[in-house]
Amino acid sequence: MRLHGIGYGLPALLDPDEPFFMITGLKMIRNQTLNPGWFGHPGTMMLYAIVIIEIGVYLIGLMTGRFANAEAFAAAVYQDPGIAFLPARYFFVGCGVLCVFLTFLIVKRLFGDRTALVASLLLAINPLHVKWSQVVRTDIQATVFMLLCVLASISVARRGRWRDYLIAGAMAGLACATKWPCAVVVLSLLAVGGSRIARADCDRRQEMMRLAAGRLAAPITLVLLSPFLLLDSATVATNVGGEAQLHHLGATGGSFLWNLGWYIADPLRHAIGVLGLVLAALGVALVC
């Protein structure tokens, strides 16, 4: 399903953000730098992935004789952006499929095989998820890291090993390095860590140390894999300020409740339907 129509729009560039991300990757290659020079999402993990893909396309073209040199590659991409855009889209399709698999693993651990199959099937055919799996954007890749954090948090809840705490924290850091709001997934680690500390039969001091280490793993991973967030902090402040401003073209948000209502009435309703929303609400109520 995610491969169907994967080349839509090409060679025209219809998505407002996709060309920007791809050109940013090409600029990093041209300038031979690891500094993306843009941190609005911040999008660091996505941009590094794009750079690797674009280098791979160039090297394959060079070895097969399609491109004589870097200038020929740049000219070919200018004439037909699909040369670089399609491989990048395939990567994000892979991220979307990985989300389905991780959903299966998470639900299997919590509710068993049959429920896991239903949950992963619903995500596999979800039109919203399919749509954004076909575009060069941060959303689906960030979701992979969020699901990995949740999966590790389940291991924390059940085994509480140092490794589980550190992996959960690191995945939260990777999610944040891909898209700022995804840092909220660290709450899954804090919740299960807190529940372990509250248990009467645990070594509270040991559990608190492990939770602290897991929490530290998130910002450490963020800085290690996206060091220019500190090294180019002025650009970070400018980009984040531009993304966060309330008054700009396309700013349509409102209060928390207004935004929540919009998500339910628009993207979620179109993704799973009214019946799906009702069933989801019942599921949340039953779990709670």
Side-chain angles (χ1 to χ4, degrees), residues 30-109:
R30 182 192 64 190
N31 298 331
Q32 298 181 19
T33 179
L34 291 175
N35 184 359
W38 181 84
F39 306 94
H41 281 197
T44 305
M45 302 313 298
M46 176 200 64
L47 291 170
Y48 285 166
I50 288 172
V51 167
I52 293 171
I53 291 166
E54 290 174 339
I55 291 175
V57 171
Y58 167 64
L59 291 177
I60 291 172
L62 200 63
M63 289 186 292
T64 58
R66 184 169 184 182
F67 312 127
N69 49 42
E71 289 75 17
F73 171 64
V77 172
Y78 181 79
Q79 291 295 324
D80 181 10
I83 294 172
F85 277 67
L86 266 180
R89 287 183 181 180
Y90 281 123
F91 170 77
F92 289 99
V93 163
C95 289
V97 174
L98 184 55
C99 286
V100 175
F101 177 65
L102 291 173
T103 298
F104 173 81
L105 293 181
I106 290 169
V107 181
K108 179 181 178 180
R109 291 193 183 185

Side-chain angles (χ1 to χ4, degrees), residues 172-228:
L174 284 170
C176 182
T178 309
K179 193 157 190 176
W180 292 116
C182 296
V184 72
V185 76
V186 79
L187 293 175
S188 63
L189 171 62
L190 298 179
V192 296
S195 67
R196 288 187 64 85
I197 293 171
R199 284 166 45 179
D201 60 342
C202 81
D203 183 341
R204 285 192 173 86
R205 183 173 177 276
Q206 183 81 338
E207 292 293 340
M208 290 176 69
M209 289 175 60
R210 290 176 179 174
L211 180 58
R215 290 173 60 187
L216 280 173
I220 289 173
T221 301
L222 174 64
V223 172
L224 286 177
L225 294 177
S226 189
F228 291 97

Side-chain angles (χ1 to χ4, degrees), residues 5 41-42 45 61 94 134 153 158 169 194 213 256 264 278:
H41 281 197
M45 302 313 298
Q134 297 178 323
S153 296
R158 295 187 174 176
F256 172 78
I264 293 172
V278 172

Side-chain angles (χ1 to χ4, degrees), residues 87-158:
R89 287 183 181 180
Y90 281 123
F91 170 77
F92 289 99
V93 163
C95 289
V97 174
L98 184 55
C99 286
V100 175
F101 177 65
L102 291 173
T103 298
F104 173 81
L105 293 181
I106 290 169
V107 181
K108 179 181 178 180
R109 291 193 183 185
L110 294 174
F111 305 110
D113 287 351
R114 279 194 290 183
T115 307
L117 284 170
V118 172
S120 54
L121 173 63
L122 289 174
L123 184 62
I125 64 174
N126 185 298
L128 192 67
H129 197 267
V130 171
K131 173 184 176 181
W132 293 116
S133 296
Q134 297 178 323
V135 181
V136 180
R137 282 183 60 91
T138 52
D139 308 271
I140 301 300
Q141 188 183 24
T143 304
V144 169
F145 296 129
M146 293 180 76
L147 291 171
L148 286 169
C149 179
V150 172
L151 193 61
S153 296
I154 294 172
S155 296
V156 168
R158 295 187 174 176

